[in-house]
Amino acid sequence: MATRIPLIAGNWKMFKTGPEAADAARSLKSLLAGVSGVDVMIAPPFTALATVGDVLKDASIAVGAQNLHWESQGAFTGEIAPGMVKAAGCRHAIIGHSERRQLFGETDGDVNRKVQAALAVGLIPVLCIGETEAEREAAQTFSVLDKQVRLGLEGVSLQNPGDLVVAYEPLWAIGTGKTATREQAQEAHAYIRGLLRELYGETMADAMRILYGGSVKPDNIAALIGMDDIDGALVGGASLEPETFARIVKLGD
Ligand code: 13P
Protein backbone atom coordinates (compact mmCIF):
# COMPACT_ATOMS: atom_id res chain seq x y z
CA MET A 1 0.00 0.00 0.00
CA ALA A 2 1.17 3.52 -0.77
CA THR A 3 2.62 5.51 2.12
CA ARG A 4 0.55 8.59 2.68
CA ILE A 5 1.98 11.47 4.72
CA PRO A 6 -0.78 12.69 7.05
CA LEU A 7 -2.23 16.14 6.47
CA ILE A 8 -3.67 18.04 9.41
CA ALA A 9 -5.66 21.06 8.21
CA GLY A 10 -7.24 23.79 10.31
CA ASN A 11 -10.38 25.49 9.01
CA TRP A 12 -10.73 28.76 10.90
CA LYS A 13 -14.16 29.42 9.37
CA MET A 14 -15.41 32.98 10.12
CA PHE A 15 -13.14 33.54 13.10
CA LYS A 16 -10.14 35.87 13.63
CA THR A 17 -9.39 39.32 12.23
CA GLY A 18 -6.16 39.83 10.28
CA PRO A 19 -4.11 40.75 13.38
CA GLU A 20 -5.62 37.89 15.43
CA ALA A 21 -4.89 35.45 12.62
CA ALA A 22 -1.31 36.71 12.31
CA ASP A 23 -0.79 36.20 16.07
CA ALA A 24 -2.17 32.67 15.91
CA ALA A 25 0.00 31.89 12.86
CA ARG A 26 3.10 33.17 14.67
CA SER A 27 2.33 30.94 17.66
CA LEU A 28 1.74 27.94 15.43
CA LYS A 29 4.97 28.55 13.60
CA SER A 30 6.95 28.36 16.82
CA LEU A 31 4.91 25.50 18.32
CA LEU A 32 5.39 23.41 15.18
CA ALA A 33 9.03 24.26 14.42
CA GLY A 34 10.90 21.02 13.92
CA VAL A 35 7.81 18.82 13.64
CA SER A 36 8.23 16.43 10.72
CA GLY A 37 6.41 13.55 9.07
CA VAL A 38 3.16 15.46 8.83
CA ASP A 39 1.88 18.15 6.48
CA VAL A 40 0.02 21.08 8.01
CA MET A 41 -2.35 23.59 6.43
CA ILE A 42 -4.46 26.37 7.87
CA ALA A 43 -7.35 28.12 6.16
CA PRO A 44 -7.95 31.60 7.61
CA PRO A 45 -10.70 33.95 6.39
CA PHE A 46 -9.94 35.72 3.08
CA THR A 47 -9.10 39.00 4.85
CA ALA A 48 -6.24 37.29 6.70
CA LEU A 49 -4.76 35.23 3.84
CA ALA A 50 -2.05 37.67 2.85
CA THR A 51 -0.91 38.42 6.42
CA VAL A 52 -0.93 34.77 7.46
CA GLY A 53 0.87 33.85 4.22
CA ASP A 54 3.51 36.43 5.07
CA VAL A 55 3.98 35.14 8.64
CA LEU A 56 4.30 31.57 7.36
CA LYS A 57 6.34 32.18 4.21
CA ASP A 58 9.45 30.45 5.55
CA ALA A 59 7.58 27.87 7.65
CA SER A 60 6.43 24.49 6.43
CA ILE A 61 2.80 25.31 7.15
CA ALA A 62 0.67 25.74 4.04
CA VAL A 63 -2.14 28.26 3.72
CA GLY A 64 -5.51 27.50 2.19
CA ALA A 65 -8.65 29.39 1.22
CA GLN A 66 -12.04 28.31 2.57
CA ASN A 67 -13.85 28.82 -0.71
CA LEU A 68 -13.46 30.38 -4.13
CA HIS A 69 -15.49 31.23 -7.21
CA TRP A 70 -15.05 29.30 -10.45
CA GLU A 71 -14.78 32.31 -12.77
CA SER A 72 -11.33 33.80 -13.27
CA GLN A 73 -12.54 37.40 -12.99
CA GLY A 74 -15.55 39.57 -13.70
CA ALA A 75 -18.57 41.31 -12.24
CA PHE A 76 -19.22 38.90 -9.36
CA THR A 77 -19.50 41.19 -6.36
CA GLY A 78 -18.25 39.62 -3.19
CA GLU A 79 -16.61 36.63 -4.85
CA ILE A 80 -12.92 35.69 -4.97
CA ALA A 81 -11.26 34.13 -8.04
CA PRO A 82 -8.92 31.11 -7.91
CA GLY A 83 -6.04 33.16 -9.31
CA MET A 84 -6.48 35.70 -6.50
CA VAL A 85 -6.35 32.97 -3.90
CA LYS A 86 -3.24 31.52 -5.51
CA ALA A 87 -1.54 34.94 -5.72
CA ALA A 88 -2.32 35.52 -2.02
CA GLY A 89 -0.01 32.59 -1.29
CA CYS A 90 -2.46 29.71 -0.95
CA ARG A 91 -1.58 26.13 -1.80
CA HIS A 92 -5.02 24.65 -1.04
CA ALA A 93 -8.67 25.61 -1.32
CA ILE A 94 -11.42 23.98 0.74
CA ILE A 95 -14.31 23.32 -1.63
CA GLY A 96 -17.87 22.22 -0.93
CA HIS A 97 -17.73 22.47 2.86
CA SER A 98 -21.08 21.40 4.29
CA GLU A 99 -21.65 24.92 5.62
CA ARG A 100 -21.37 26.23 2.05
CA ARG A 101 -23.70 23.54 0.80
CA GLN A 102 -26.27 23.89 3.59
CA LEU A 103 -26.23 27.61 4.38
CA PHE A 104 -25.34 29.04 0.97
CA GLY A 105 -27.01 26.56 -1.35
CA GLU A 106 -23.90 25.21 -3.07
CA THR A 107 -24.75 22.32 -5.36
CA ASP A 108 -22.60 19.43 -6.54
CA GLY A 109 -22.45 21.24 -9.89
CA ASP A 110 -21.01 24.36 -8.24
CA VAL A 111 -18.57 22.22 -6.32
CA ASN A 112 -17.45 20.55 -9.54
CA ARG A 113 -16.86 23.92 -11.25
CA LYS A 114 -14.85 25.10 -8.24
CA VAL A 115 -12.71 21.95 -8.17
CA GLN A 116 -11.90 22.36 -11.88
CA ALA A 117 -11.16 26.07 -11.48
CA ALA A 118 -8.88 25.46 -8.49
CA LEU A 119 -6.92 22.76 -10.31
CA ALA A 120 -6.58 24.98 -13.37
CA VAL A 121 -4.53 27.51 -11.38
CA GLY A 122 -2.52 24.90 -9.51
CA LEU A 123 -4.39 24.96 -6.20
CA ILE A 124 -5.04 21.69 -4.36
CA PRO A 125 -8.79 21.35 -3.79
CA VAL A 126 -9.85 19.88 -0.46
CA LEU A 127 -13.18 18.46 -1.57
CA CYS A 128 -15.56 18.13 1.39
CA ILE A 129 -18.29 15.51 1.44
CA GLY A 130 -20.47 13.96 4.12
CA GLU A 131 -23.95 12.88 5.07
CA THR A 132 -26.49 14.43 7.45
CA GLU A 133 -27.72 12.62 10.54
CA ALA A 134 -31.06 11.90 8.84
CA GLU A 135 -29.28 10.41 5.82
CA ARG A 136 -27.16 8.18 8.06
CA GLU A 137 -30.24 7.02 9.96
CA ALA A 138 -31.96 6.24 6.64
CA ALA A 139 -28.94 4.11 5.63
CA GLN A 140 -28.13 6.54 2.80
CA THR A 141 -24.55 7.34 3.82
CA PHE A 142 -22.91 5.47 0.94
CA SER A 143 -25.34 6.74 -1.69
CA VAL A 144 -24.78 10.34 -0.55
CA LEU A 145 -21.00 9.90 -0.67
CA ASP A 146 -21.29 8.22 -4.05
CA LYS A 147 -23.21 11.15 -5.51
CA GLN A 148 -21.00 13.82 -3.96
CA VAL A 149 -17.79 12.17 -5.18
CA ARG A 150 -19.01 11.31 -8.68
CA LEU A 151 -20.64 14.70 -9.34
CA GLY A 152 -17.96 16.71 -7.56
CA LEU A 153 -15.24 15.03 -9.62
CA GLU A 154 -17.11 14.70 -12.90
CA GLY A 155 -14.67 15.28 -15.76
CA VAL A 156 -11.84 16.02 -13.33
CA SER A 157 -8.57 14.47 -14.40
CA LEU A 158 -5.64 14.37 -12.04
CA GLN A 159 -1.96 14.18 -12.92
CA ASN A 160 -0.70 13.27 -9.45
CA PRO A 161 -2.31 11.83 -6.33
CA GLY A 162 -1.28 14.94 -4.40
CA ASP A 163 -3.31 17.21 -6.68
CA LEU A 164 -6.54 16.70 -4.73
CA VAL A 165 -7.52 15.88 -1.16
CA VAL A 166 -10.92 14.55 -0.08
CA ALA A 167 -12.33 15.38 3.36
CA TYR A 168 -15.07 13.22 4.84
CA GLU A 169 -17.04 15.35 7.29
CA PRO A 170 -20.28 13.77 8.52
CA LEU A 171 -22.54 16.76 9.25
CA TRP A 172 -23.73 15.33 12.55
CA ALA A 173 -20.17 15.41 13.86
CA ILE A 174 -19.35 19.02 12.92
CA GLY A 175 -19.19 21.34 15.92
CA THR A 176 -21.32 18.95 17.95
CA GLY A 177 -18.66 17.21 20.00
CA LYS A 178 -20.00 13.96 18.51
CA THR A 179 -17.11 12.35 16.65
CA ALA A 180 -17.77 9.44 14.35
CA THR A 181 -16.28 6.35 15.93
CA ARG A 182 -13.04 5.37 14.27
CA GLU A 183 -14.83 2.35 12.81
CA GLN A 184 -17.61 4.52 11.32
CA ALA A 185 -15.03 6.90 9.87
CA GLN A 186 -12.88 4.07 8.49
CA GLU A 187 -15.91 2.46 6.84
CA ALA A 188 -16.76 5.72 5.04
CA HIS A 189 -13.14 6.36 4.09
CA ALA A 190 -12.73 2.87 2.65
CA TYR A 191 -15.88 3.42 0.62
CA ILE A 192 -14.58 6.77 -0.66
CA ARG A 193 -11.23 5.21 -1.59
CA GLY A 194 -13.12 2.56 -3.52
CA LEU A 195 -14.84 5.31 -5.52
CA LEU A 196 -11.50 7.01 -6.17
CA ARG A 197 -10.11 3.68 -7.42
CA GLU A 198 -12.96 3.46 -9.90
CA LEU A 199 -12.35 7.01 -11.09
CA TYR A 200 -8.55 7.18 -11.03
CA GLY A 201 -7.25 3.63 -10.78
CA GLU A 202 -5.77 1.78 -7.87
CA THR A 203 -2.25 3.24 -7.80
CA MET A 204 -3.50 6.80 -7.86
CA ALA A 205 -6.33 6.24 -5.35
CA ASP A 206 -4.08 4.41 -2.92
CA ALA A 207 -1.78 7.41 -2.80
CA MET A 208 -4.52 10.05 -2.38
CA ARG A 209 -5.27 11.53 1.04
CA ILE A 210 -8.69 11.30 2.63
CA LEU A 211 -9.10 13.45 5.75
CA TYR A 212 -11.66 13.05 8.49
CA GLY A 213 -13.43 16.09 9.94
CA GLY A 214 -15.96 16.56 12.73
CA SER A 215 -15.07 17.30 16.37
CA VAL A 216 -11.43 16.24 15.98
CA LYS A 217 -9.56 16.95 19.22
CA PRO A 218 -6.12 16.14 20.70
CA ASP A 219 -7.64 13.14 22.49
CA ASN A 220 -9.22 11.44 19.48
CA ILE A 221 -6.77 12.18 16.65
CA ALA A 222 -4.43 9.25 17.35
CA ALA A 223 -7.24 6.68 17.23
CA LEU A 224 -8.62 8.13 14.00
CA ILE A 225 -5.30 8.36 12.22
CA GLY A 226 -4.49 4.81 13.25
CA MET A 227 -7.14 3.55 10.84
CA ASP A 228 -6.05 2.30 7.41
CA ASP A 229 -7.83 4.83 5.22
CA ILE A 230 -7.73 7.92 7.46
CA ASP A 231 -4.90 10.13 6.27
CA GLY A 232 -5.35 13.21 8.40
CA ALA A 233 -7.94 15.62 9.68
CA LEU A 234 -9.81 18.78 8.82
CA VAL A 235 -10.20 20.52 12.15
CA GLY A 236 -12.64 23.34 12.90
CA GLY A 237 -13.13 24.52 16.49
CA ALA A 238 -9.99 22.91 17.88
CA SER A 239 -7.81 24.61 15.26
CA LEU A 240 -8.56 28.11 16.59
CA GLU A 241 -6.34 27.77 19.60
CA PRO A 242 -2.68 27.27 18.53
CA GLU A 243 -1.67 25.03 21.48
CA THR A 244 -4.62 22.73 20.91
CA PHE A 245 -4.09 22.56 17.16
CA ALA A 246 -0.37 21.90 17.66
CA ARG A 247 -1.26 18.95 19.92
CA ILE A 248 -3.48 17.57 17.17
CA VAL A 249 -0.66 17.96 14.65
CA LYS A 250 1.56 16.04 17.09
CA LEU A 251 -1.16 13.40 17.13
CA GLY A 252 -2.33 14.07 20.66
CA ASP A 253 1.02 14.46 22.48
P1 13P B 1 -15.33 21.00 14.10
O1 13P B 1 -13.93 20.45 14.23
O2 13P B 1 -15.55 22.28 14.85
O3 13P B 1 -16.37 19.94 14.39
O4 13P B 1 -15.51 21.41 12.55
C1 13P B 1 -15.18 20.51 11.56
C2 13P B 1 -15.19 21.22 10.27
O5 13P B 1 -16.22 21.63 9.77
C3 13P B 1 -13.88 21.45 9.60
O6 13P B 1 -14.06 21.89 8.30
Side-chain angles (χ1 to χ4, degrees), residues 45-84:
F46 284 123
T47 46
L49 283 180
T51 4
V52 167
D54 197 43
V55 170
L56 298 178
K57 63 179 180 301
D58 50 0
S60 55
I61 303 174
V63 180
Q66 299 175 18
N67 182 27
L68 43 68
H69 190 63
W70 56 82
E71 293 288 349
S72 56
Q73 59 179 16
F76 301 103
T77 302
E79 295 293 333
I80 309 283
M84 297 171 180

Side-chain angles (χ1 to χ4, degrees), residues 108 129-151 168 170 172 182-196 198 229:
D108 286 312
I129 57 174
E131 81 287 0
T132 62
E133 185 151 39
E135 287 162 344
R136 175 162 283 265
E137 279 166 6
Q140 290 167 352
T141 299
F142 292 156
S143 62
V144 169
L145 297 178
D146 197 276
K147 178 172 156 287
Q148 290 175 334
V149 169
R150 287 184 200 281
L151 296 180
Y168 169 61
W172 46 273
R182 57 190 188 154
E183 290 80 12
Q184 283 172 322
Q186 166 57 27
E187 186 185 37
H189 282 229
Y191 184 79
I192 295 161
R193 198 173 309 280
L195 293 170
L196 295 175
E198 261 186 58
D229 290 291

Side-chain angles (χ1 to χ4, degrees), residues 11 13 97 99 169 173-176 213-217 234-238:
N11 175 7
K13 305 192 180 184
H97 191 278
E99 287 148 18
E169 300 203 304
I174 297 181
T176 58
S215 300
V216 173
K217 304 278 183 291
L234 183 52
V235 186

